[in-house]
Amino acid sequence: MPIVKYPRTREPLFYEWDRRAQKCGLRHTIYAVNGDQYTGEWLDNMKHGKGTQVWKKTGAIYNGDWKFGKRDGYGSYSIPDPVTKEYRKVYTGLWKNDQKAGQGVSFYPNGERYEGEWSDGVRSGWGRMYYQDGSSYEGQWQADQPSGQGILRLPNGNRYEGGWKDGKKHGPGRYFYLDKGQLLEGTWAADIAKCGVLVDCGRHKAPAPTRYPIPKIGLNDPDGVLAEAQALLDDSHN
């Protein structure tokens, strides 16, 4: 009886080629069509684990954690200086879904720095901002602006403690004029003090005190108030 030989069943070659092309585990540098390059770990053909990405168009570098093709975890993002060509760190901290999220530090070109919480790529939560003029803000942030409760410290030592909204003083607060030795306690709206009480506070120790102290107002002693005011006027004439 003749032996019949059947051809062995074999899947098309492109299936095999596709399996070989799938990237999984640690790989050497992989170049994209646009010139971008990635060196690091892969999973199911996606960047996953530890890796370094270099964008050809901008020269920017990200070195850190990846999750299913996106920056996720801890990592640093740097860009080259247009003049010196040396890399300048822009952000170091946590990422989620390719955006800054969680605790991180951002460095700005003018020397300013932000340390604190992020959400969806913008400052949100509690953070501390150091400005170019030497002032600093520490407090709550929302949508990349001071919002909530916070403290603004100025280079001359003066400070504001109170409410903020959209980056401006808003709501109840206290402004310490330490250079003059005075304290303004009141309510602000859109960065403007609408009403409040101004009193002397450490005026005798202030570096640049006002010429005259603020008279103390006693509702139960109107004669005393008038006498104090008259004494100030007499001093001004002498």
Side-chain angles (χ1 to χ4, degrees):
M1 182 176 178
I3 299 175
V4 180
K5 293 184 178 180
Y6 295 95
R8 186 169 57 183
T9 304
R10 184 175 181 180
E11 63 183 9
L13 285 176
F14 68 83
Y15 284 115
E16 183 180 351
W17 296 338
D18 183 64
R19 280 197 301 271
R20 292 181 178 180
Q22 291 292 318
K23 296 178 282 295
C24 190
L26 182 62
R27 287 293 188 97
H28 295 296
T29 303
I30 303 295
Y31 292 89
V33 176
N34 61 2
D36 295 348
Q37 61 186 67
Y38 172 81
T39 305
E41 296 176 300
W42 298 78
L43 179 64
D44 296 333
N45 214 34
M46 290 185 291
K47 304 163 190 171
H48 191 89
K50 301 288 185 180
T52 301
Q53 169 88 14
V54 181
W55 287 268
K56 182 180 180 180
K57 184 177 181 180
T58 62
I61 292 181
Y62 170 80
N63 181 34
D65 297 323
W66 296 79
K67 187 175 182 181
F68 301 117
K70 295 183 179 180
R71 292 170 288 186
D72 200 299
Y74 183 84
S76 296
Y77 179 77
S78 304
I79 60 174
D81 187 275
V83 179
T84 64
K85 304 303 180 183
E86 296 181 358
Y87 276 92
R88 177 180 63 81
K89 191 173 293 185
V90 176
Y91 175 80
T92 297
L94 296 175
W95 301 73
K96 186 175 182 180
N97 198 29
D98 226 29
Q99 296 283 352
K100 304 169 190 173
Q103 290 288 336
V105 182
S106 187
F107 304 89
Y108 299 89
N110 59 2
E112 296 181 346
R113 183 175 82 256
Y114 172 80
E115 303 173 354
E117 296 177 304
W118 299 77
S119 180
D120 294 328
V122 297
R123 294 168 289 187
S124 184
W126 189 269
R128 187 182 296 112
M129 183 74 188
Y130 298 94
Y131 297 98
Q132 187 179 21
D133 62 0
S135 61
S136 65
Y137 169 83
E138 180 179 1
Q140 295 173 304
W141 295 73
Q142 185 177 2
D144 220 32
Q145 295 286 350
S147 291
Q149 293 296 310
I151 302 175
L152 174 67
R153 294 181 173 87
L154 301 178
N156 62 359
N158 293 349
R159 72 178 186 271
Y160 168 80
E161 301 176 358
W164 295 79
K165 184 179 179 181
D166 299 329
K168 297 180 180 180
K169 306 178 195 70
H170 194 89
R174 298 188 298 172
Y175 201 112
F176 294 85
Y177 296 91
L178 299 183
D179 57 339
K180 299 178 181 179
Q182 293 181 332
L183 166 63
L184 173 61
E185 187 168 3
T187 302
W188 275 256
D191 239 11
I192 299 174
K194 295 297 183 178
C195 62
V197 177
L198 183 66
V199 298
D200 287 328
C201 180
R203 179 177 172 276
H204 61 288
K205 296 181 180 179
T210 55
R211 185 176 180 183
Y212 304 109
I214 298 176
K216 296 180 181 180
I217 299 177
L219 298 178
N220 297 326
D221 185 19
D223 294 334
V225 174
L226 293 175
E228 187 172 354
Q230 185 62 48
L232 293 175
L233 290 174
D234 294 340
D235 290 341
S236 65
H237 293 308
N238 294 336

